[in-house]
Amino acid sequence: MSTTTSSDLSGSSSTPSGNRAVAYLGPGRVEVQTIDYPTFELKDGPGVNPANVGRKVDHGVILKLVATNICGSDQHMVRGRTTAPPNLVLGHEITGEIVEVGRDVEFLKVGDLVSVPFNIACGRCRNCKERKTGICENVNPDRPGSAYGYVDMGGWVGGQAEYVLVPYADFNCLRFADKDQAMEKILDLTMLSDIFPTGFHGAVTAGVGVGSTVYVAGAGPVGLAAAVGAQLLGAAVVIVGDLNAERLERARSFGCETVDVSKGDPKDQIEQILGVPEVDSGIDAVGFEARGHGAGSATEAPATVLNSLMGITKAGGALGIPGLYVTGDPGGVDEAAKRGSLSLDLGTGWAKSLSFTTGQCPVMKYHRQLMMAILHDKVQIAKAVGATPISLDEAPAAYAEFDAGAPKKFVIDPHGMIKR
């Protein structure tokens, strides 16, 4: 049987009857709804794969959300650029306090404060055992890989809510040993659920090391996290490219060089910075809604970033691609783009012997190490990405502000537990 007791952070001693959450209604529309309080069984609902309905989750925990963030990946759905169904509860960046534990949970207890990787992993399949937790074989009946509150990811309910169910909790949850210390750094630690490991993964897979020169395409939160990750790995120069002047200013605030791609191909501006028109490592933190460079910057051209990176990365170099690409895009610029089929200059990539790494970041491969870097003041990721706490009710307005290009990472604080 599951157990519920009082919670150290919340002081609550009873199970709530409801649960408020942020839901996608349709293109450009989100709202805060009242949904069911989670139980240890996956129930039918928007986006839930029929094969997952009724799935028992005795290995799970129920969290009271302390922080849950708005992600650029959520924005793709909210813009109507995926096949997400109406009323899908959003949110895959989850940090919270355990208020209930399932009967099969062994190593976690009520009151623990934990970070939850956005990708759900069973810990039992071949891929999980090989640390490829982004492509777990057992949590999504449609394809390898799953996530909370995301289209085609199995239907696990999202975490932009007051409470959320986390399956396979012993494997998935990263516990913070000192809760007081963690709450002091919660705006940094909340980034461990996704964007900090994702950006860091982009830098690692791009081969960044001591003395590297790096170009990061995109100055949104993941791009900025990739830049911070590249610095942490010892890069000599990190260059960030974007169209948004305010986001480029944020990149400069922690020591990055910048490129305004509205002024043309990054190659010429990179040469002005480095003396040569190429870098050792390229990172795509833009994804499938990329726009052209120079005079074409107002026009969507989904292969622009990938083709540009192949051109400016040195022969024998590598591209890390944390930016999201999808297999179904109703708003694609042509029929091919609507299927995720892009016109890549693969001949250049082949001729230059470039390496490519795509797909979900395996968060558990990195999150403990990055936690230690945060706790021991080696990095200030919250400051770099502009972490901005908001209430649950402010989430719809924050989605609109983020979509307009605000240089911020919005952190939803459903229970008013974060110091402002």
Side-chain angles (χ1 to χ4, degrees):
M1 296 178 62
S2 60
T3 60
T4 306
T5 64
S6 63
S7 155
D8 292 343
L9 289 175
S10 67
S12 174
S13 59
S14 61
T15 299
S17 58
N19 183 19
R20 299 174 72 237
V22 181
Y24 166 71
L25 299 184
R29 298 167 56 220
V30 299
E31 73 173 11
V32 178
Q33 299 181 346
T34 297
I35 64 172
D36 290 339
Y37 183 82
T39 64
F40 294 103
E41 178 181 315
L42 190 55
K43 297 178 181 177
D44 198 7
V48 179
N49 189 296
N52 259 352
V53 175
R55 184 169 181 161
K56 302 298 183 184
V57 193
D58 294 324
H59 42 68
V61 297
I62 294 172
L63 297 186
K64 177 178 181 178
L65 272 297
V66 172
T68 175
N69 316 323
I70 295 176
C71 181
S73 298
D74 298 321
Q75 286 286 19
H76 293 304
M77 288 189 291
V78 173
R79 292 187 191 115
R81 296 300 297 269
T82 71
T83 55
N87 298 306
L88 180 76
V89 174
L90 301 168
H92 54 270
E93 301 190 11
I94 295 169
T95 306
E97 180 197 16
I98 297 174
V99 293
E100 281 192 71
V101 296
R103 69 181 184 191
D104 295 337
V105 174
E106 292 187 73
F107 306 114
L108 298 168
K109 64 182 185 301
V110 169
D112 284 345
L113 182 62
V114 298
S115 174
V116 180
F118 77 90
N119 31 33
I120 303 168
C122 72
R124 297 155 165 81
C125 70
R126 174 179 176 178
N127 285 340
C128 284
K129 290 177 180 179
E130 294 176 356
R131 302 182 77 191
K132 301 172 183 175
T133 52
I135 45 174
C136 173
E137 297 173 334
N138 290 329
V139 287
N140 182 358
D142 280 338
R143 64 179 77 170
S146 188
Y148 303 87
Y150 214 85
V151 60
D152 296 331
M153 289 291 182
W156 299 91
V157 179
Q160 286 174 17
E162 293 174 323
Y163 299 91
V164 70
L165 171 67
V166 175
Y168 302 102
D170 280 325
F171 184 64
N172 283 293
C173 292
L174 174 68
R175 186 177 71 89
F176 301 130
D178 186 329
K179 291 168 67 174
D180 292 336
Q181 180 192 32
M183 288 302 295
E184 287 295 320
K185 294 180 178 290
I186 195 65
L187 288 178
D188 293 284
L189 294 172
T190 188
M191 306 304 165
L192 292 174
S193 59
D194 182 358
I195 68 161
F196 196 11
T198 292
F200 190 77
H201 179 63
V204 168
T205 54
V208 177
V210 174
S212 295
T213 57
V214 185
Y215 177 70
V216 181
V222 169
L224 297 173
V228 170
Q231 291 175 335
L232 197 58
L233 289 166
V237 183
V238 180
I239 305 168
V240 179
D242 204 289
L243 301 160
N244 183 311
E246 289 183 301
R247 289 182 170 182
L248 291 175
E249 177 58 35
R250 186 165 293 284
R252 288 191 290 272
S253 74
F254 59 93
C256 298
E257 301 285 346
T258 58
V259 162
D260 182 347
V261 298
S262 70
K263 296 180 179 178
D265 191 292
K267 182 178 295 186
D268 295 335
Q269 295 175 69
I270 288 171
E271 186 169 18
Q272 293 173 8
I273 296 167
L274 297 177
V276 293
E278 64 179 17
V279 292
D280 299 324
S281 303
I283 302 171
D284 174 6
V286 177
F288 73 102
E289 289 191 65
R291 297 187 177 275
H293 295 154
S297 60
T299 304
E300 190 168 307
T304 298
V305 169
L306 291 172
N307 287 335
S308 174
L309 287 173
M310 284 189 274
I312 63 179
T313 303
K314 74 174 184 67
L319 307 185
I321 310 174
L324 175 67
Y325 289 87
V326 296
T327 56
D329 173 13
V333 294
D334 53 35
E335 289 304 311
K338 289 177 182 179
R339 302 188 307 272
S341 179
L342 308 182
S343 298
L344 296 180
D345 187 10
L346 193 57
T348 296
W350 190 92
K352 296 175 73 174
S353 295
L354 298 176
S355 300
F356 301 75
T357 301
T358 65
Q360 288 188 34
C361 164
V363 170
M364 275 188 271
K365 189 173 182 179
Y366 308 108
H367 66 173
R368 186 185 183 279
Q369 301 95 308
L370 295 177
M371 175 189 74
M372 296 300 288
I374 290 168
L375 292 177
H376 293 279
D377 299 316
K378 300 301 181 185
V379 66
Q380 293 181 308
I381 185 65
K383 183 178 180 180
V385 301
T388 304
I390 60 171
S391 70
L392 192 66
D393 288 318
E394 292 173 301
Y399 265 99
E401 188 176 347
F402 187 40
D403 192 45
K408 300 176 183 179
K409 175 69 171 178
F410 289 105
V411 178
I412 300 172
D413 175 13
H415 296 279
M417 299 166 74
I418 299 175
K419 291 181 182 178
R420 304 295 177 95

